[in-house]
Short mmCIF file of all heavy atoms in Angstrom, two decimals:
data_model
loop_
_atom_site.label_atom_id
_atom_site.label_comp_id
_atom_site.label_asym_id
_atom_site.label_seq_id
_atom_site.Cartn_x
_atom_site.Cartn_y
_atom_site.Cartn_z
N THR B 27 -34.35 54.86 66.01
CA THR B 27 -34.00 56.16 65.44
C THR B 27 -32.51 56.40 65.65
O THR B 27 -32.01 56.27 66.77
CB THR B 27 -34.78 57.29 66.14
OG1 THR B 27 -36.17 56.96 66.10
CG2 THR B 27 -34.56 58.61 65.44
N VAL B 28 -31.82 56.72 64.57
CA VAL B 28 -30.39 57.02 64.68
C VAL B 28 -30.18 58.47 64.29
O VAL B 28 -30.52 58.89 63.19
CB VAL B 28 -29.57 56.11 63.73
CG1 VAL B 28 -28.09 56.40 63.89
CG2 VAL B 28 -29.87 54.65 63.98
N ARG B 29 -29.65 59.25 65.21
CA ARG B 29 -29.44 60.66 64.92
C ARG B 29 -28.08 60.91 64.31
O ARG B 29 -27.17 60.10 64.45
CB ARG B 29 -29.58 61.48 66.21
CG ARG B 29 -30.95 61.37 66.78
CD ARG B 29 -31.21 62.32 67.94
NE ARG B 29 -32.56 62.08 68.42
CZ ARG B 29 -33.65 62.54 67.80
NH1 ARG B 29 -33.52 63.29 66.73
NH2 ARG B 29 -34.85 62.26 68.27
N LYS B 30 -27.97 62.05 63.68
CA LYS B 30 -26.72 62.39 63.00
C LYS B 30 -25.56 62.39 64.00
O LYS B 30 -25.68 62.98 65.07
CB LYS B 30 -26.86 63.77 62.36
CG LYS B 30 -25.68 64.19 61.55
CD LYS B 30 -26.02 65.41 60.69
CE LYS B 30 -24.78 65.76 59.91
NZ LYS B 30 -24.40 67.13 59.95
N GLY B 31 -24.50 61.71 63.63
CA GLY B 31 -23.32 61.71 64.48
C GLY B 31 -23.30 60.60 65.52
O GLY B 31 -22.30 60.40 66.20
N GLN B 32 -24.39 59.90 65.65
CA GLN B 32 -24.42 58.84 66.65
C GLN B 32 -23.72 57.58 66.16
O GLN B 32 -23.67 57.33 64.96
CB GLN B 32 -25.88 58.47 66.98
CG GLN B 32 -26.58 59.43 67.90
CD GLN B 32 -27.90 58.87 68.40
OE1 GLN B 32 -28.62 58.27 67.61
NE2 GLN B 32 -28.19 59.07 69.66
N THR B 33 -23.21 56.81 67.11
CA THR B 33 -22.66 55.49 66.78
C THR B 33 -23.49 54.46 67.52
O THR B 33 -23.58 54.48 68.75
CB THR B 33 -21.19 55.38 67.21
OG1 THR B 33 -20.43 56.36 66.52
CG2 THR B 33 -20.65 54.01 66.90
N ILE B 34 -24.12 53.58 66.77
CA ILE B 34 -24.96 52.54 67.37
C ILE B 34 -24.26 51.21 67.21
O ILE B 34 -23.78 50.89 66.12
CB ILE B 34 -26.33 52.45 66.66
CG1 ILE B 34 -26.95 53.82 66.48
CG2 ILE B 34 -27.25 51.49 67.38
CD1 ILE B 34 -27.52 54.39 67.73
N VAL B 35 -24.21 50.42 68.28
CA VAL B 35 -23.63 49.08 68.18
C VAL B 35 -24.76 48.06 68.30
O VAL B 35 -25.56 48.11 69.24
CB VAL B 35 -22.58 48.84 69.28
CG1 VAL B 35 -22.23 47.37 69.38
CG2 VAL B 35 -21.33 49.65 68.97
N LEU B 36 -24.82 47.17 67.33
CA LEU B 36 -25.82 46.10 67.34
C LEU B 36 -25.14 44.82 67.76
O LEU B 36 -24.15 44.42 67.15
CB LEU B 36 -26.34 45.86 65.92
CG LEU B 36 -27.56 46.58 65.37
CD1 LEU B 36 -27.85 46.07 63.97
CD2 LEU B 36 -28.76 46.33 66.26
N CYS B 37 -25.66 44.16 68.80
CA CYS B 37 -25.06 42.87 69.13
C CYS B 37 -26.14 41.85 69.42
O CYS B 37 -27.31 42.19 69.55
CB CYS B 37 -24.09 43.01 70.30
SG CYS B 37 -24.90 43.48 71.84
N GLY B 38 -25.70 40.60 69.54
CA GLY B 38 -26.65 39.55 69.80
C GLY B 38 -26.11 38.23 69.29
O GLY B 38 -25.12 38.21 68.56
N PRO B 39 -26.76 37.12 69.67
CA PRO B 39 -26.29 35.81 69.23
C PRO B 39 -26.44 35.68 67.71
O PRO B 39 -27.17 36.44 67.08
CB PRO B 39 -27.22 34.83 69.96
CG PRO B 39 -28.39 35.62 70.38
CD PRO B 39 -27.95 37.04 70.52
N SER B 40 -25.73 34.69 67.13
CA SER B 40 -25.82 34.55 65.68
C SER B 40 -27.22 34.08 65.32
O SER B 40 -27.84 33.31 66.03
CB SER B 40 -24.77 33.58 65.16
OG SER B 40 -25.03 32.29 65.62
#
Side-chain angles (χ1 to χ4, degrees):
Chain B
T27 307
V28 182
R29 297 189 181 282
K30 184 167 180 229
Q32 281 191 319
T33 299
I34 312 285
V35 166
L36 268 183
C37 65
S40 66

